[in-house]
Amino acid sequence: MTLQLTVITLLVVMLIALWRACIGPNVFDRVLAANLFGTKTVLLIAAISYLHGSPDFLDIALVYALINYISVVGVLRITELRNEHAPGDRRG
Amino acid sequence: MMLDWVSGVLLLVGSFLLLTGALGFLRFADFYARIHACGVTETLATSCILLGLLIQSDSAVPQFKLLLILLFVLLSSPTSSHALAKAAWNAGVRPRDNRGKQPLPLPPGEH
Amino acid sequence: MELAVNIVLLSLLVTTAAALVLVRGLLASIMLTSIYGLLSASFFVIMDAVDVAFTEAAVGAGVSPLLLLLSVAVIGRHEARNAGARPLFAVLLVGITGALLIVGTLDMPAFGRADAPAHLHVAPRYLLLSGEETGIPNVVTSVLASYRAYDTLGEVIVIFTAGVAVILILASGTHRGSARPHSAPVDTKDPHTILQVVSKTMIPFMLLFAFYVQFHGDYGPGGGFQAGVIFASGIILYGLLYGLPAICRVIRPPVVELCSALGVLVYGVTGILSMLQGRPFLDYSVLADDPIRAQQIGIMVIELGVGITVASVLIVIYYAFANQFETNGN
């Protein structure tokens, strides 16, 4: 029963993250939302694999846990590069 | 039986923490407040939920995989919050007050 | 429960797609694309399509946002204002295509019907006999790498071609010979110590996990495609944090270029070996005396070819992009 509750909570949190990703306001909110979405997906897949009783799904959660953070590092590098290109541009 | 209870409580605590974090992420007016809300709750909530699931399973391989997932999330989640805050700061996002209107005073030496 | 989760996930998917069309900033679109990938992967997991979910996890949510970010770094992050110069024409075109697609779905059998064409042709045979014929528990792997090995060869060649195209377009002119380490290392004022330390602990696990996915694909979800993507992600992460010259010292660009062709070669040679013995192309039965053992060897070898090609092509693409923006920066 609590497992179902956890799945529902995860879906609600994903909805909130998606809402934040849609309204912004600045681009880092969207990155944060995508990142939050990623960790919630890890949890959702883990929880669903227990609902199903098929532990194969955990491999997918493991992939996410490993590569979720690459795109955040990518964003960091890109903001740095933009600063080098245009030091005057200080909008978010 | 006892373990079922422990697992249920862990899952509930994790879900509650997730909801609080998401609420902060939705409602706070300032970017750094939002990253704080979900960055702080995320690690404990993830630990609770994954441990709750771990207690429920009875074979070793899924337990090992869950522990690995937990390890990676504990490593990567705070680090990506850090990276993101750093990226935002580099791009010129500055902390604002609770209504998101006034910029807050910065420590000396920063601009 | 499952139905409810499906409905919620699909509505989230539609919302994301709508938002993706409406937002203007390119970085915002990339982030929504990544969310879209995550959602479709969860959806595939619930549909029990574990291998597809695996690919979507690694490609749709992991590497493709990263490649898009790299291209945004090269071209700038704002969409041109006149991007939709003829909106009416575009709407008309999209509307007609969409209507045709919907009309097409009217003929389709209901979802999950037992007498749908997909369940009548070869699928029952694969499901019933693949375990006996190939000795591999994961049906997806045996279909992909043995029954449908031609198609997979085609896919690998498409990936290889994409890599060659990126090299031809991005590494032309003065930087011929693809990415060479011309640029300075990542700026030393701000060395990202925390990220470097954490990534250094994670990268070995990523590479190890890639090998696990590669060689465990016969038994669980995974295989060459996914393993290649995960391996390349580890390498790209290193490159992002330590700079292009550092990663080029670890894996030299000519070596990766060679490897991207080597994977296709391994695949093709396996096929030609069976032709030399008078059997059809990609018939693995010549590789060993026992037919099941031969199937297993054949599948392992071509999966290895797939993995090598996918990983090297992604690394080659990363080198080409990184070379662009790191030299532009200096």
Side-chain angles (χ1 to χ4, degrees):
Chain A
M1 191 55 221
T2 43
L3 200 55
Q4 273 90 332
L5 207 68
T6 309
V7 170
I8 293 168
T9 318
L10 283 169
L11 288 173
V12 171
V13 173
M14 283 165 111
L15 182 71
I16 292 174
L18 182 59
W19 177 245
R20 195 33 104 180
C22 294
I23 60 171
N26 77 38
V27 79
F28 298 102
D29 283 305
R30 301 180 206 263
V31 183
L32 184 57
N35 191 36
L36 191 72
F37 219 94
T39 41
K40 296 308 158 289
T41 312
V42 172
L43 293 178
L44 183 73
I45 292 176
I48 283 175
S49 75
Y50 275 82
L51 272 182
H52 254 252
S54 40
D56 264 1
F57 295 178
L58 284 179
D59 280 353
I60 300 164
L62 199 52
V63 175
Y64 273 143
L66 275 174
I67 63 182
N68 186 23
Y69 125 105
I70 294 185
S71 49
V72 178
V73 175
V75 170
L76 173 67
R77 292 287 291 128
I78 282 174
T79 50
E80 282 175 358
L81 287 166
R82 268 198 314 132
N83 276 10
E84 284 163 22
H85 286 216
D89 183 18
R90 280 217 166 279
R91 286 166 298 133
Chain B
M1 192 58 215
M2 183 63 198
L3 282 182
D4 278 354
W5 273 96
V6 175
S7 149
V9 168
L10 279 175
L11 286 178
L12 281 182
V13 170
S15 311
F16 174 72
L17 286 170
L18 279 184
L19 271 185
T20 50
L23 204 64
F25 185 48
L26 185 68
R27 297 287 299 153
F28 284 159
D30 167 52
F31 170 73
Y32 292 98
R34 286 195 284 264
I35 200 171
H36 170 250
C38 46
V40 170
T41 53
E42 200 165 74
T43 41
L44 187 57
T46 311
S47 315
C48 283
I49 289 182
L50 289 179
L51 284 177
L53 290 175
L54 194 141
I55 291 171
Q56 283 196 5
S57 72
D58 40 13
S59 55
V61 174
Q63 285 179 341
F64 177 67
K65 279 181 186 163
L66 279 177
L67 275 182
L68 273 185
I69 295 173
L70 182 60
L71 177 73
F72 293 142
V73 171
L74 284 184
L75 271 176
S76 72
S77 165
T79 319
S80 48
S81 300
H82 161 79
L84 198 55
K86 198 169 169 178
W89 184 270
N90 283 342
V93 180
R94 292 292 173 265
R96 289 171 182 279
D97 71 351
N98 284 336
R99 276 187 231 92
K101 298 277 188 290
Q102 299 291 318
L104 290 179
L106 296 172
E110 295 286 354
H111 57 89
Chain C
M1 181 69 197
E2 233 169 70
L3 184 72
V5 174
N6 261 335
I7 291 172
V8 173
L9 282 179
L10 282 178
S11 7
L12 286 180
L13 207 62
V14 172
T15 321
T16 317
L20 199 52
V21 178
L22 291 175
V23 294
R24 284 212 81 87
L26 289 178
L27 275 179
S29 312
I30 296 171
M31 286 307 132
L32 284 170
T33 316
S34 139
I35 290 182
Y36 193 89
L38 290 165
L39 273 171
S40 2
S42 326
F43 177 61
F44 292 143
V45 165
I46 293 175
M47 302 288 266
D48 238 348
V50 194
D51 288 80
V52 187
F54 213 125
T55 317
E56 186 65 37
V59 179
V63 162
S64 73
L66 191 70
L67 289 181
L68 289 172
L69 280 173
L70 289 176
S71 36
V72 165
V74 177
I75 63 171
R77 58 177 267 223
H78 292 289
E79 205 172 329
R81 273 288 156 190
N82 58 357
R86 290 158 74 189
L88 231 119
F89 179 66
V91 165
L92 198 72
L93 211 65
V94 171
I96 291 174
T97 318
L100 284 177
L101 285 175
I102 290 173
V103 170
T105 57
L106 292 181
D107 282 345
M108 276 168 62
F111 177 75
R113 275 269 291 275
D115 59 345
H119 303 304
L120 293 178
H121 186 44
V122 285
R125 181 168 173 271
Y126 291 161
L127 291 177
L128 283 175
L129 295 179
S130 72
E132 283 171 40
E133 285 179 351
T134 62
I136 282 176
N138 185 357
V139 186
V140 178
T141 302
S142 57
V143 171
L144 184 115
S146 177
Y147 295 110
R148 295 271 162 200
Y150 273 37
D151 304 6
T152 312
L153 178 61
E155 284 167 32
V156 176
I157 290 174
V158 166
I159 292 170
F160 175 65
T161 317
V164 172
V166 168
I167 293 177
L168 283 178
I169 293 170
L170 286 184
S172 58
T174 47
H175 302 300
R176 205 3 257 146
S178 94
R180 297 279 187 271
H182 286 299
S183 55
V186 182
D187 52 344
T188 39
K189 303 183 301 258
D190 197 10
H192 303 310
T193 317
I194 296 175
L195 290 169
Q196 287 183 344
V197 170
V198 172
S199 307
K200 251 187 181 169
T201 39
M202 280 179 71
I203 288 170
F205 285 107
M206 289 170 98
L207 302 186
L208 194 65
F209 188 62
F211 282 112
Y212 165 79
V213 172
Q214 170 85 48
F215 294 109
H216 195 255
D218 299 359
Y219 303 96
F225 285 99
Q226 294 92 334
V229 172
I230 297 169
F231 192 87
S233 322
I235 304 291
I236 293 174
L237 181 60
Y238 186 85
L240 280 173
L241 286 171
Y242 290 83
L244 191 58
I247 190 67
C248 284
R249 273 200 300 278
V250 180
I251 303 179
R252 301 214 347 268
V255 177
V256 210
E257 283 165 24
L258 208 67
C259 279
S260 61
L262 183 75
V264 183
L265 191 72
V266 166
Y267 203 135
V269 163
T270 318
I272 289 174
L273 268 183
S274 41
M275 277 169 85
L276 288 180
Q277 313 251 348
R279 305 282 306 166
F281 187 61
L282 284 172
D283 181 342
Y284 304 137
S285 59
V286 298
L287 295 174
D289 294 332
D290 178 27
I292 292 183
R293 185 93 194 97
Q295 286 287 339
Q296 285 171 343
I297 293 174
I299 288 174
M300 205 184 84
V301 170
I302 68 145
E303 287 272 15
L304 197 64
V306 173
I308 292 172
T309 298
V310 171
S312 348
V313 164
L314 279 172
I315 296 171
V316 160
I317 292 177
Y318 168 70
Y319 279 177
F321 274 110
N323 199 32
Q324 285 275 322
F325 69 69
E326 292 205 4
T327 43
N328 280 357
N330 292 331

